[in-house]
Amino acid sequence: CAALLLEKAMTQVVEEARKDAEKGASTENTDHAQDAPGANALQNAEQALGGQFCAGGGRVPGRGEGKYDVKTISSPKELGDFYDEVRKNPSVVATRIVARITPERAAEAEALIKKPVKDFDYSVDSSALNHNKKTGHEDPKAELPRGQIPLTRDDYEKIPSIVEKGKMSLGGESGANGEPRIVFQHSEPSHGRYHYVAEFRPSRKRLAMVQMHKFKNRRAVYAFLNRLTSTSETCSQRVLDGAHTA
């Protein structure tokens, strides 16, 4: 009962904050509507009401291109530029649309999660980038002892290739929003094996990045998957079936 009351109250806060943000937004420059009065309250309320990534974070408060900072990239370099922007200003709230899922990839995803993903977009948001750094996946001192390779800007620029070419499998757990996740396994000869996790977000028609790691070899991948899903190595092997060798 208390939870229902809290959810109702937060929903009201979101609506009131949205009205304030819309009133303060300039009709001539709607790209900066998130700077309008009430925009911060809107973002905080939506994050409190929405889901979260693994050990923290929240769903993206952006509502669409032209109003909040949601833009479609035209090259991998732009994704690298977005990474640099978030690292310089971790408090930025923004999303980059990587690409529209192809019909062939949509069919693969639907076979896994049993939900429609036609016309969905792959996306990367600032919360996911911040989460990846917070959990140590860019820190050599944290990654190397675990048999993993710290991520850099160059790795994030490979996300378009990862979601286009990576072997898909069903994630071992659902997000806090209860929606399924898809794991993309992809190897680059000179870089290593990428493990990229995307979450199904039907309200925005996105497969949104949750986390990303890079491994040196298959043993490290097995160890990570077993920690993540608390399953046997047999299950981990099944997840990796068909993945490229590093």
Side-chain angles (χ1 to χ4, degrees):
C1 182
L4 292 175
L5 291 174
L6 175 60
E7 182 174 353
K8 183 177 180 180
M10 291 304 298
T11 301
Q12 183 177 356
V13 171
V14 169
E15 292 303 318
E16 291 176 354
R18 181 176 292 111
K19 291 178 182 178
D20 289 341
E22 290 174 350
K23 288 179 181 179
S26 168
T27 57
E28 296 180 358
N29 187 7
T30 55
D31 284 342
H32 298 287
Q34 66 179 29
D35 298 327
N40 288 336
L42 169 61
Q43 294 168 4
N44 293 337
E46 285 195 324
Q47 287 184 355
L49 191 60
Q52 60 183 7
F53 307 122
C54 295
R59 57 179 196 160
V60 181
R63 289 298 180 183
E65 292 194 45
K67 186 171 183 180
Y68 295 97
D69 190 2
V70 181
K71 300 175 183 177
T72 300
I73 67 167
S74 58
S75 69
K77 179 182 179 300
E78 291 185 15
L79 200 54
D81 292 341
F82 179 55
Y83 166 81
D84 287 341
E85 177 186 353
V86 175
R87 288 294 165 263
K88 291 177 182 178
N89 181 15
S91 63
V92 68
V93 178
T95 298
R96 293 296 176 265
I97 303 301
V98 176
R100 176 66 53 85
I101 190 170
T102 64
E104 295 77 15
R105 294 300 265 172
E108 289 183 59
E110 289 173 358
L112 289 171
I113 66 176
K114 311 303 181 185
K115 293 177 181 287
V117 296
K118 181 182 178 181
D119 296 328
F120 271 51
D121 294 319
Y122 298 111
S123 68
V124 175
D125 60 63
S126 51
S127 292
L129 293 181
N130 285 330
H131 171 70
N132 237 37
K133 181 179 180 180
K134 181 179 179 181
T135 50
H137 297 302
E138 297 174 14
D139 183 0
K141 293 181 179 179
E143 293 295 84
L144 295 178
R146 295 185 289 197
Q148 299 170 192
I149 307 172
L151 298 173
T152 66
R153 169 186 166 132
D154 289 345
D155 295 307
Y156 290 101
E157 289 186 356
K158 293 188 179 298
I159 290 176
S161 179
I162 293 170
V163 297
E164 177 186 355
K165 302 176 182 178
K167 170 70 176 180
M168 288 188 193
S169 59
L170 185 64
E173 59 182 17
S174 298
N177 62 358
E179 298 293 357
R181 292 175 174 177
I182 298 175
V183 177
F184 295 79
Q185 296 280 347
H186 179 64
S187 290
E188 293 278 347
S190 61
H191 287 78
R193 184 191 302 278
Y194 290 100
H195 178 98
Y196 179 91
V197 183
E199 187 171 81
F200 176 73
R201 295 185 184 167
S203 63
R204 292 179 175 82
K205 300 192 73 172
R206 294 177 190 161
L207 291 176
M209 173 185 170
V210 174
Q211 55 185 307
M212 178 177 171
H213 320 276
K214 186 167 67 170
F215 303 94
K216 293 180 179 179
N217 52 48
R218 292 177 72 87
R219 171 181 280 183
V221 178
Y222 294 154
F224 170 75
L225 290 175
N226 287 330
R227 291 198 305 270
L228 181 67
T229 64
S230 297
T231 58
S232 66
E233 185 169 316
T234 300
C235 180
S236 296
Q237 177 65 56
R238 190 165 61 248
V239 170
L240 288 169
D241 279 346
H244 304 290
T245 57

